Amino acid sequence: MEVVGLLCLAAAVLAWGFLWVWDSSERKKSQEQASLLGGGSRTLLVIAHPDDEAMFFAPTVLGLARLRHRLSLLCFSAGNYYNQGEIRKKELLQSCDVLGIPPSSVMVIDNRDFPDDPGVQWDTEHVASVLLWHIEENGINLVVTFDAGGVSGHSNHVALYAAVRTLHSEGKLPKGCSVLTLQSVNVLRKYISLLDLPFSLLHTQDVLFMLTSKEVAQAKRAMSCHRSQLLWFRRLYVLFSRYMRINSLSFL
């Protein structure tokens, strides 16, 4: 009995220690993020398809809202792979409304040059040109999009990274405009939900957003707006994916 009592005490101490470290790290990261990202920035979230904003970027959108960023969204396709483009555009507006992005700040590019198709490679220069126009036209000083892995490996996601990387490396972005990319993780980490938190704390390079329980419910409501996409495996994704709760991002 004494051994069991000691083990329970040790477990309690370890749990308390972890929570203390986590709380300290969160407070420190909040302070760092506030200084890195600033308040009141004009931020552009760049996605490939309707539902990307909820499936992958909800923690970032809600985290930036906490920092009082003025957020707008640019979606490079209507998600017409199964001829549901018009439905999906309406679902995107509903989802963005739940996440706090007004319809006037949402732009969907419904163009044959950018089809919703993982088998089609979007032209990097063309994507970059369209993206740069939107950045300059709206006075954007922070761009948020996918990293080289595209989270799911989808070629359309990767194309957005390639375009913003080109603008950044060639010095074409306006002065003072920064780029944040969402870090891709391996399949195991992707589907262990909050259990990924210790790994995220260790491996996040620049910015970490984690949702409160209230915000998780908000993110799930946003995802539920995409009724045409809620097949059984996406319902499982909503339950288990870290991206519905945690976002790790890096500056280019």
Side-chain angles (χ1 to χ4, degrees), residues 26 29 33 56-57 59-60 144-147 151 180-185 189 196-210 242-251:
E26 279 297 291
K29 280 188 176 294
Q33 287 167 192
F56 306 121
F57 290 97
T60 297
V144 179
T145 193
F146 295 98
D147 71 356
V151 178
L180 268 178
T181 60
L182 181 63
Q183 292 179 8
S184 300
V185 298
R189 287 187 59 195
D196 185 63
L197 180 58
F199 300 101
S200 296
L201 288 170
L202 288 171
H203 297 293
T204 295
Q205 294 181 23
D206 294 311
V207 177
L208 175 68
F209 289 118
M210 193 184 82
R242 74 186 286 278
Y243 288 99
M244 294 296 298
R245 294 158 179 81
I246 302 169
N247 276 177
S248 306
L249 303 104
S250 301
F251 282 106

Side-chain angles (χ1 to χ4, degrees), residues 50-244:
D51 77 11
D52 289 348
E53 82 296 337
M55 281 186 72
F56 306 121
F57 290 97
T60 297
V61 172
L62 297 175
L64 290 172
R66 285 188 224 128
L67 298 173
R68 304 190 182 281
H69 280 227
R70 287 170 286 178
L71 194 67
S72 55
L73 182 144
L74 177 62
C75 184
F76 263 82
S77 82
N80 203 38
Y81 189 69
Y82 293 108
N83 298 313
Q84 297 176 310
E86 291 306 312
I87 294 172
R88 297 193 69 186
K89 283 191 282 187
K90 292 176 183 177
E91 292 173 344
L92 174 62
L93 291 175
Q94 293 168 358
S95 172
C96 285
D97 185 56
V98 172
L99 293 172
I101 306 173
S104 59
S105 298
V106 178
M107 175 67 186
V108 180
I109 300 173
D110 195 355
N111 189 311
R112 290 181 180 180
D113 293 336
F114 308 122
D116 172 12
D117 190 339
V120 175
Q121 297 293 325
W122 293 352
D123 182 76
T124 300
E125 293 300 325
H126 192 168
V127 176
S129 175
V130 172
L131 176 55
L132 182 59
W133 185 88
H134 280 275
I135 291 171
E136 293 177 336
E137 184 72 10
N138 294 286
I140 299 299
N141 46 34
L142 178 65
V143 177
V144 179
T145 193
F146 295 98
D147 71 356
V151 178
S152 64
H154 197 297
S155 63
N156 298 164
H157 298 178
V158 176
L160 298 181
Y161 171 79
V164 77
R165 180 79 190 183
T166 296
L167 292 174
H168 182 268
S169 62
E170 294 181 358
K172 293 182 178 179
L173 291 173
K175 185 178 180 181
C177 183
S178 303
V179 177
L180 268 178
T181 60
L182 181 63
Q183 292 179 8
S184 300
V185 298
N186 62 50
V187 174
L188 177 61
R189 287 187 59 195
K190 188 174 180 179
Y191 293 109
I192 58 174
S193 190
L194 276 177
L195 294 176
D196 185 63
L197 180 58
F199 300 101
S200 296
L201 288 170
L202 288 171
H203 297 293
T204 295
Q205 294 181 23
D206 294 311
V207 177
L208 175 68
F209 289 118
M210 193 184 82
L211 299 184
T212 63
S213 57
K214 182 179 178 180
E215 289 169 333
V216 169
Q218 186 177 354
K220 288 180 178 179
R221 287 200 308 275
M223 188 61 202
S224 70
C225 294
H226 295 281
R227 296 177 186 86
S228 67
Q229 305 304 299
L230 286 179
L231 303 174
W232 66 269
F233 56 88
R234 287 201 180 92
R235 291 182 185 276
L236 289 177
Y237 176 94
V238 171
L239 286 174
F240 296 108
S241 175
R242 74 186 286 278
Y243 288 99
M244 294 296 298

